[in-house]
Amino acid sequence: MIELVAFDMAGTTVDDHGLVYVALERCVTDAGATVRPRDLQLWMGTDKVTAIGALLRLGGVEPTESTVASAFDGFRRILAESYRDVPPVALPGVEAALRELRSRGIRVALTTGFTSEVAEAILHSIGWTIGPAVDGAAPTDVLDAVVTTSDVPSGRPAPYLIHRAMERTGIVDVRRVLAAGDTIVDLLAARNAGVIGVGVLTGSLGRAELEAQPHDYILASVAEVPGLAEARA
């Protein structure tokens, strides 16, 4: 049985209405670069500073330190404005699934390419809190840990977000960890971390695109994770 699930945020557990895609594209085009849809898809799920630098270069703009910093400031501003107008919400069935997993003694962590500032704003918006489960009682908090790109030296596809989630929740065996996400780099990070990798279809990628990557399962949603054999005692 697994002891930890590590789920991505936007597009996996949280419906942000695709606004992170919009903000990322706008901040790069505002800097004078062009953005091809396939390049945007490739860099979604990575930490946003790295994504901005890569997209600038691919779009014909030299990603200097100042250019990337300015574009990242633009990304945060655009995203904050967008989230104020259209707040993120939990994807259908996800909160119930997280609570069910925790009730079985499985720790639940979120990992994200957002900074801590952005992640905290999203969690506040949807009302998810972090705290230890109490033996014999239904968990009042939804999460055991949240790990952001602010917490690790490199984001996905590096394995560090997942391994930091293991560290924070006291899990030492990668064979007892499941990581799920809606992007290519989510699956690559799971493989690099040595954990069970699950692709979910709640983001912008289709089944064929996710199946082309290393994976153990492709599910309609993380709401289906409690039904996996590895999640049942």
Side-chain angles (χ1 to χ4, degrees):
M1 184 175 175
I2 54 175
E3 297 178 339
L4 168 68
V5 292
F7 294 151
D8 174 51
M9 289 184 71
T12 300
T13 52
V14 175
D15 182 2
D16 83 329
H17 317 289
L19 295 176
V20 65
Y21 286 84
V22 174
L24 188 57
E25 182 174 12
R26 275 187 54 192
C27 79
V28 173
T29 56
D30 286 350
T34 57
V35 179
R36 294 180 297 182
R38 68 186 184 196
D39 292 334
L40 187 64
Q41 291 287 356
L42 179 63
W43 287 95
M44 286 305 300
T46 62
D47 80 84
K48 298 307 176 278
V49 172
T50 300
I52 287 167
L55 290 170
L56 286 171
R57 180 177 286 109
L58 289 167
V61 173
E62 179 62 26
T64 65
E65 183 176 345
S66 61
T67 301
V68 172
S70 177
F72 182 60
D73 285 343
F75 168 78
R76 291 191 298 179
R77 174 183 50 79
I78 294 165
L79 194 63
E81 292 171 353
S82 299
Y83 281 173
R84 280 196 297 270
D85 294 338
V86 186
V89 295
L91 281 161
V94 167
E95 182 172 332
L98 302 188
R99 292 188 182 278
E100 174 61 25
L101 291 166
R102 293 194 84 204
S103 74
R104 300 178 188 177
I106 298 170
R107 293 170 177 83
V108 174
L110 297 186
T111 62
T112 178
F114 290 137
T115 62
S116 295
E117 175 188 20
V118 174
E120 289 167 4
I122 293 173
L123 293 177
H124 178 75
S125 174
I126 62 179
W128 286 0
T129 54
I130 306 165
V134 178
D135 290 343
T140 56
D141 297 300
V142 181
L143 307 168
D144 291 280
V146 175
V147 182
T148 76
T149 190
S150 305
D151 300 317
V152 293
S154 300
R156 305 180 186 111
Y160 307 131
L161 288 167
I162 297 169
H163 288 164
R164 183 58 57 85
M166 292 176 62
E167 179 184 8
R168 288 189 175 173
T169 56
I171 306 302
V172 298
D173 188 347
V174 295
R175 295 170 298 178
R176 293 186 176 272
V177 178
L178 179 150
D182 64 299
T183 68
I184 291 170
V185 292
D186 287 315
L187 290 173
L188 294 177
R191 178 54 55 91
N192 290 336
V195 305
I196 299 167
V198 177
V200 294
L201 301 173
T202 45
S204 62
L205 297 184
R207 180 176 294 275
E209 293 165 300
L210 292 177
E211 286 182 340
Q213 305 304 318
H215 67 277
D216 295 285
Y217 297 100
I218 304 296
L219 302 178
S221 165
V222 295
E224 297 182 354
V225 169
L228 295 177
E230 292 89 341
R232 297 196 297 268

